[in-house]
Amino acid sequence: MKWTPGRGVQRLIPWATPLLIAVPILVVDLLLGQTQAELFGEGGPVVTAQLVSWGIAAVLALGGALIGWHPRRLVTFWLGEICVLCFARELDLHAALNPETLGDLGVRYRMDWWLQDGAPLLLKLSWAGVFTAIGAAVTLPLVFGKPDAIRALRNGSASAWILVIGCGLLAMGVVLDDLLRDALPLALRQPAEEICELIGAACFIAGVVARFVPEWRGEGAADAPDTPEGAGEAAVS
């Protein structure tokens, strides 16, 4: 396919989207003269923007999978599930399941809570069932969808590469928050962590949207339908 300036600009759109989302938020907040604690702290505009980004990415992915905007519905649905989990993590919903919130029905994530006799066995089995169901819901779309990420990356899929970059930025945020917490001053670590997580979440918006545009997601075998319904639709079309 012949390259033209217009086509070149079109190909740059998904790559520029994460920065087009994150940079204006940071610039506006800085112009408003907010302190670092106000800008990057919990409940601040950057963390709120992360939450909104995960919500948008989840709605787009789940909606696109159900509507059939991408032939590989199961993989798209799986991306939506990951975005929902990240959205819940930003809200600290996992902490809301602790006994401090749910009382005697709460769960602890520490191994000693599961191994000791302090909590009723039925409660432990119930929570084990809940976590197993969540794990199955996240795992089964990958098992049956059989994504070929390596092929997509080799084909130059903008969607695949942007999602990989997003995962890398999110991993960097975890490293800054956990492994480098005591090694770096807060004035440096907090902005770096939150900016990585903001751009990482924005990458998921761009990566999901790029899946719905054939020119951005990459062509070829990676586009083969991963559900019987999708295969039927592809045959008709």
Side-chain angles (χ1 to χ4, degrees):
M1 186 177 292
K2 185 178 180 181
W3 185 91
T4 63
R7 187 173 299 278
V9 171
Q10 187 182 39
R11 287 180 178 273
L12 287 175
I13 291 176
W15 296 96
T17 298
L19 294 179
L20 292 175
I21 294 173
V23 171
I25 294 172
L26 295 172
V27 170
V28 170
D29 290 329
L30 290 173
L31 291 176
L32 292 176
Q34 292 184 313
T35 65
Q36 176 176 312
E38 293 172 333
L39 182 57
F40 298 106
E42 293 296 327
V46 173
V47 175
T48 301
Q50 296 171 15
L51 180 65
V52 172
S53 295
W54 285 121
I56 292 173
V59 170
L60 289 172
L62 295 176
L66 295 175
I67 294 173
W69 288 342
H70 189 285
R72 298 189 64 79
R73 292 186 178 187
L74 290 176
V75 178
T76 307
F77 186 82
W78 174 79
L79 283 173
E81 291 182 314
I82 296 301
C83 293
V84 168
L85 291 177
C86 291
F87 181 87
R89 176 64 182 85
E90 285 295 330
L91 287 176
D92 290 329
L93 291 185
H94 62 290
L97 303 179
N98 288 339
E100 287 79 5
T101 303
L102 296 182
D104 293 338
L105 298 179
V107 62
R108 296 287 187 190
Y109 303 102
R110 301 192 312 268
M111 187 61 66
D112 59 347
W113 184 86
W114 293 90
L115 298 179
Q116 294 176 359
D117 298 330
L121 178 60
L122 180 59
L123 178 64
K124 294 178 181 179
L125 291 176
S126 299
W127 279 114
V130 170
F131 295 138
T132 300
I134 294 174
V138 173
T139 304
L140 290 178
L142 284 184
V143 173
F144 292 104
K146 299 178 181 179
D148 194 343
I150 302 300
R151 181 187 294 273
L153 293 172
R154 287 178 175 174
N155 286 347
S157 167
S159 174
W161 277 106
I162 291 171
L163 290 170
V164 167
I165 293 171
C167 290
L169 289 169
L170 295 173
M172 181 59 67
V174 173
V175 169
L176 289 166
D177 187 33
D178 295 335
L179 301 181
L180 300 179
R181 175 175 289 272
D182 298 325
L184 296 175
L186 180 63
L188 175 61
R189 177 180 58 78
Q190 186 182 41
E193 173 197 344
E194 300 300 344
I195 290 174
C196 282
E197 292 181 356
L198 174 59
I199 299 177
C203 281
F204 269 74
I205 295 178
V208 168
V209 171
R211 287 183 64 79
F212 306 141
V213 182
E215 191 172 67
W216 293 345
R217 70 178 178 241
E219 304 289 350
D223 281 345
D226 59 6
T227 62
E229 296 81 358
E233 293 170 1
V236 172
S237 61

mmCIF file of all heavy atoms in Angstrom, residues 49-75:
data_model
loop_
_atom_site.group_PDB
_atom_site.id
_atom_site.type_symbol
_atom_site.label_atom_id
_atom_site.label_comp_id
_atom_site.label_asym_id
_atom_site.label_seq_id
_atom_site.Cartn_x
_atom_site.Cartn_y
_atom_site.Cartn_z
ATOM 1 N N ALA A 49 -7.697 11.088 36.881
ATOM 2 C CA ALA A 49 -7.597 10.875 35.434
ATOM 3 C C ALA A 49 -7.245 9.419 35.120
ATOM 4 O O ALA A 49 -7.722 8.858 34.127
ATOM 5 C CB ALA A 49 -6.557 11.815 34.837
ATOM 6 N N GLN A 50 -6.417 8.803 35.963
ATOM 7 C CA GLN A 50 -6.118 7.381 35.783
ATOM 8 C C GLN A 50 -7.386 6.546 35.907
ATOM 9 O O GLN A 50 -7.647 5.659 35.085
ATOM 10 C CB GLN A 50 -5.101 6.921 36.832
ATOM 11 C CG GLN A 50 -3.737 7.563 36.736
ATOM 12 C CD GLN A 50 -2.866 7.230 37.936
ATOM 13 O OE1 GLN A 50 -3.169 6.320 38.702
ATOM 14 N NE2 GLN A 50 -1.795 7.973 38.130
ATOM 15 N N LEU A 51 -8.175 6.839 36.927
ATOM 16 C CA LEU A 51 -9.418 6.105 37.163
ATOM 17 C C LEU A 51 -10.368 6.255 35.974
ATOM 18 O O LEU A 51 -10.937 5.269 35.481
ATOM 19 C CB LEU A 51 -10.073 6.606 38.442
ATOM 20 C CG LEU A 51 -11.383 5.942 38.857
ATOM 21 C CD1 LEU A 51 -11.153 4.472 39.188
ATOM 22 C CD2 LEU A 51 -11.995 6.670 40.051
ATOM 23 N N VAL A 52 -10.523 7.491 35.500
ATOM 24 C CA VAL A 52 -11.408 7.753 34.361
ATOM 25 C C VAL A 52 -10.891 7.032 33.113
ATOM 26 O O VAL A 52 -11.679 6.456 32.340
ATOM 27 C CB VAL A 52 -11.541 9.263 34.107
ATOM 28 C CG1 VAL A 52 -12.298 9.535 32.817
ATOM 29 C CG2 VAL A 52 -12.238 9.946 35.288
ATOM 30 N N SER A 53 -9.582 7.032 32.924
ATOM 31 C CA SER A 53 -8.994 6.367 31.755
ATOM 32 C C SER A 53 -9.281 4.870 31.771
ATOM 33 O O SER A 53 -9.633 4.281 30.740
ATOM 34 C CB SER A 53 -7.485 6.619 31.714
ATOM 35 O OG SER A 53 -7.199 7.988 31.521
ATOM 36 N N TRP A 54 -9.134 4.249 32.938
ATOM 37 C CA TRP A 54 -9.429 2.813 33.031
ATOM 38 C C TRP A 54 -10.902 2.549 32.763
ATOM 39 O O TRP A 54 -11.255 1.552 32.124
ATOM 40 C CB TRP A 54 -9.029 2.269 34.396
ATOM 41 C CG TRP A 54 -7.560 2.105 34.582
ATOM 42 C CD1 TRP A 54 -6.761 2.690 35.524
ATOM 43 C CD2 TRP A 54 -6.686 1.290 33.786
ATOM 44 N NE1 TRP A 54 -5.455 2.303 35.367
ATOM 45 C CE2 TRP A 54 -5.378 1.437 34.311
ATOM 46 C CE3 TRP A 54 -6.876 0.451 32.693
ATOM 47 C CZ2 TRP A 54 -4.281 0.781 33.772
ATOM 48 C CZ3 TRP A 54 -5.774 -0.203 32.145
ATOM 49 C CH2 TRP A 54 -4.502 -0.035 32.683
ATOM 50 N N GLY A 55 -11.769 3.434 33.260
ATOM 51 C CA GLY A 55 -13.194 3.260 33.006
ATOM 52 C C GLY A 55 -13.524 3.365 31.536
ATOM 53 O O GLY A 55 -14.296 2.555 30.997
ATOM 54 N N ILE A 56 -12.934 4.348 30.858
ATOM 55 C CA ILE A 56 -13.181 4.514 29.422
ATOM 56 C C ILE A 56 -12.665 3.309 28.642
ATOM 57 O O ILE A 56 -13.352 2.767 27.762
ATOM 58 C CB ILE A 56 -12.514 5.810 28.921
ATOM 59 C CG1 ILE A 56 -13.203 7.031 29.517
ATOM 60 C CG2 ILE A 56 -12.534 5.871 27.391
ATOM 61 C CD1 ILE A 56 -12.506 8.336 29.207
ATOM 62 N N ALA A 57 -11.452 2.864 28.969
ATOM 63 C CA ALA A 57 -10.874 1.710 28.272
ATOM 64 C C ALA A 57 -11.723 0.461 28.481
ATOM 65 O O ALA A 57 -11.939 -0.326 27.553
ATOM 66 C CB ALA A 57 -9.441 1.466 28.754
ATOM 67 N N ALA A 58 -12.235 0.273 29.703
ATOM 68 C CA ALA A 58 -13.061 -0.900 29.997
ATOM 69 C C ALA A 58 -14.360 -0.877 29.202
ATOM 70 O O ALA A 58 -14.769 -1.885 28.610
ATOM 71 C CB ALA A 58 -13.360 -0.966 31.499
ATOM 72 N N VAL A 59 -15.019 0.282 29.170
ATOM 73 C CA VAL A 59 -16.280 0.405 28.439
ATOM 74 C C VAL A 59 -16.058 0.161 26.946
ATOM 75 O O VAL A 59 -16.841 -0.548 26.285
ATOM 76 C CB VAL A 59 -16.908 1.786 28.681
ATOM 77 C CG1 VAL A 59 -18.083 2.019 27.736
ATOM 78 C CG2 VAL A 59 -17.368 1.916 30.130
ATOM 79 N N LEU A 60 -14.999 0.734 26.394
ATOM 80 C CA LEU A 60 -14.713 0.562 24.968
ATOM 81 C C LEU A 60 -14.425 -0.899 24.629
ATOM 82 O O LEU A 60 -14.933 -1.435 23.628
ATOM 83 C CB LEU A 60 -13.527 1.444 24.560
ATOM 84 C CG LEU A 60 -13.777 2.950 24.516
ATOM 85 C CD1 LEU A 60 -12.464 3.692 24.279
ATOM 86 C CD2 LEU A 60 -14.779 3.303 23.424
ATOM 87 N N ALA A 61 -13.597 -1.541 25.465
ATOM 88 C CA ALA A 61 -13.222 -2.926 25.173
ATOM 89 C C ALA A 61 -14.408 -3.870 25.334
ATOM 90 O O ALA A 61 -14.684 -4.692 24.451
ATOM 91 C CB ALA A 61 -12.072 -3.353 26.084
ATOM 92 N N LEU A 62 -15.115 -3.774 26.446
ATOM 93 C CA LEU A 62 -16.256 -4.665 26.673
ATOM 94 C C LEU A 62 -17.369 -4.392 25.664
ATOM 95 O O LEU A 62 -17.968 -5.326 25.119
ATOM 96 C CB LEU A 62 -16.768 -4.500 28.102
ATOM 97 C CG LEU A 62 -15.794 -4.926 29.213
ATOM 98 C CD1 LEU A 62 -16.384 -4.613 30.581
ATOM 99 C CD2 LEU A 62 -15.452 -6.404 29.101
ATOM 100 N N GLY A 63 -17.641 -3.107 25.425
ATOM 101 C CA GLY A 63 -18.661 -2.765 24.445
ATOM 102 C C GLY A 63 -18.281 -3.214 23.051
ATOM 103 O O GLY A 63 -19.103 -3.773 22.320
ATOM 104 N N GLY A 64 -17.020 -2.986 22.676
ATOM 105 C CA GLY A 64 -16.562 -3.409 21.356
ATOM 106 C C GLY A 64 -16.610 -4.909 21.185
ATOM 107 O O GLY A 64 -16.933 -5.424 20.099
ATOM 108 N N ALA A 65 -16.299 -5.656 22.254
ATOM 109 C CA ALA A 65 -16.346 -7.119 22.176
ATOM 110 C C ALA A 65 -17.778 -7.606 22.009
ATOM 111 O O ALA A 65 -18.047 -8.515 21.211
ATOM 112 C CB ALA A 65 -15.723 -7.726 23.433
ATOM 113 N N LEU A 66 -18.703 -7.015 22.740
ATOM 114 C CA LEU A 66 -20.096 -7.449 22.662
ATOM 115 C C LEU A 66 -20.743 -7.065 21.336
ATOM 116 O O LEU A 66 -21.541 -7.817 20.771
ATOM 117 C CB LEU A 66 -20.887 -6.846 23.834
ATOM 118 C CG LEU A 66 -20.461 -7.328 25.229
ATOM 119 C CD1 LEU A 66 -21.218 -6.567 26.307
ATOM 120 C CD2 LEU A 66 -20.685 -8.824 25.373
ATOM 121 N N ILE A 67 -20.373 -5.886 20.827
ATOM 122 C CA ILE A 67 -20.955 -5.425 19.558
ATOM 123 C C ILE A 67 -20.297 -6.111 18.370
ATOM 124 O O ILE A 67 -20.914 -6.316 17.332
ATOM 125 C CB ILE A 67 -20.813 -3.888 19.446
ATOM 126 C CG1 ILE A 67 -21.663 -3.210 20.535
ATOM 127 C CG2 ILE A 67 -21.236 -3.399 18.071
ATOM 128 C CD1 ILE A 67 -21.464 -1.713 20.627
ATOM 129 N N GLY A 68 -19.029 -6.487 18.534
ATOM 130 C CA GLY A 68 -18.329 -7.163 17.453
ATOM 131 C C GLY A 68 -17.526 -6.245 16.568
ATOM 132 O O GLY A 68 -17.393 -6.486 15.371
ATOM 133 N N TRP A 69 -16.979 -5.172 17.163
ATOM 134 C CA TRP A 69 -16.165 -4.248 16.372
ATOM 135 C C TRP A 69 -14.844 -4.873 15.955
ATOM 136 O O TRP A 69 -14.173 -4.380 15.063
ATOM 137 C CB TRP A 69 -15.895 -2.977 17.174
ATOM 138 C CG TRP A 69 -17.107 -2.100 17.312
ATOM 139 C CD1 TRP A 69 -18.241 -2.134 16.558
ATOM 140 C CD2 TRP A 69 -17.310 -1.066 18.271
ATOM 141 N NE1 TRP A 69 -19.132 -1.188 16.975
ATOM 142 C CE2 TRP A 69 -18.590 -0.510 18.024
ATOM 143 C CE3 TRP A 69 -16.539 -0.545 19.309
ATOM 144 C CZ2 TRP A 69 -19.104 0.528 18.777
ATOM 145 C CZ3 TRP A 69 -17.051 0.492 20.071
ATOM 146 C CH2 TRP A 69 -18.325 1.023 19.798
ATOM 147 N N HIS A 70 -14.416 -5.930 16.610
ATOM 148 C CA HIS A 70 -13.176 -6.625 16.278
ATOM 149 C C HIS A 70 -13.500 -8.109 16.170
ATOM 150 O O HIS A 70 -14.237 -8.641 16.997
ATOM 151 C CB HIS A 70 -12.117 -6.385 17.363
ATOM 152 C CG HIS A 70 -10.753 -6.891 16.984
ATOM 153 N ND1 HIS A 70 -10.434 -8.235 16.987
ATOM 154 C CD2 HIS A 70 -9.636 -6.250 16.593
ATOM 155 C CE1 HIS A 70 -9.175 -8.395 16.617
ATOM 156 N NE2 HIS A 70 -8.662 -7.210 16.378
ATOM 157 N N PRO A 71 -12.992 -8.811 15.146
ATOM 158 C CA PRO A 71 -13.342 -10.221 14.978
ATOM 159 C C PRO A 71 -12.889 -11.098 16.139
ATOM 160 O O PRO A 71 -13.500 -12.134 16.405
ATOM 161 C CB PRO A 71 -12.636 -10.609 13.667
ATOM 162 C CG PRO A 71 -11.575 -9.574 13.470
ATOM 163 C CD PRO A 71 -12.125 -8.310 14.062
ATOM 164 N N ARG A 72 -11.816 -10.710 16.845
ATOM 165 C CA ARG A 72 -11.350 -11.506 17.972
ATOM 166 C C ARG A 72 -12.006 -10.970 19.250
ATOM 167 O O ARG A 72 -11.399 -10.269 20.052
ATOM 168 C CB ARG A 72 -9.826 -11.466 18.048
ATOM 169 C CG ARG A 72 -9.157 -12.057 16.815
ATOM 170 C CD ARG A 72 -7.663 -12.212 16.976
ATOM 171 N NE ARG A 72 -7.311 -13.160 18.026
ATOM 172 C CZ ARG A 72 -7.336 -14.481 17.887
ATOM 173 N NH1 ARG A 72 -7.739 -15.018 16.741
ATOM 174 N NH2 ARG A 72 -6.986 -15.272 18.871
ATOM 175 N N ARG A 73 -13.275 -11.345 19.419
ATOM 176 C CA ARG A 73 -14.076 -10.793 20.511
ATOM 177 C C ARG A 73 -13.561 -11.216 21.880
ATOM 178 O O ARG A 73 -13.593 -10.428 22.827
ATOM 179 C CB ARG A 73 -15.521 -11.246 20.354
ATOM 180 C CG ARG A 73 -16.244 -10.665 19.151
ATOM 181 C CD ARG A 73 -17.696 -11.059 19.193
ATOM 182 N NE ARG A 73 -18.439 -10.487 18.070
ATOM 183 C CZ ARG A 73 -19.751 -10.570 17.954
ATOM 184 N NH1 ARG A 73 -20.464 -11.199 18.877
ATOM 185 N NH2 ARG A 73 -20.366 -10.029 16.922
ATOM 186 N N LEU A 74 -13.124 -12.465 22.014
ATOM 187 C CA LEU A 74 -12.712 -12.955 23.323
ATOM 188 C C LEU A 74 -11.483 -12.220 23.828
ATOM 189 O O LEU A 74 -11.387 -11.888 25.012
ATOM 190 C CB LEU A 74 -12.434 -14.466 23.256
ATOM 191 C CG LEU A 74 -13.669 -15.354 23.057
ATOM 192 C CD1 LEU A 74 -13.261 -16.817 22.909
ATOM 193 C CD2 LEU A 74 -14.628 -15.188 24.220
ATOM 194 N N VAL A 75 -10.533 -11.955 22.936
ATOM 195 C CA VAL A 75 -9.329 -11.231 23.344
ATOM 196 C C VAL A 75 -9.682 -9.792 23.714
ATOM 197 O O VAL A 75 -9.174 -9.244 24.702
ATOM 198 C CB VAL A 75 -8.271 -11.265 22.223
ATOM 199 C CG1 VAL A 75 -7.040 -10.464 22.628
ATOM 200 C CG2 VAL A 75 -7.888 -12.706 21.912
#
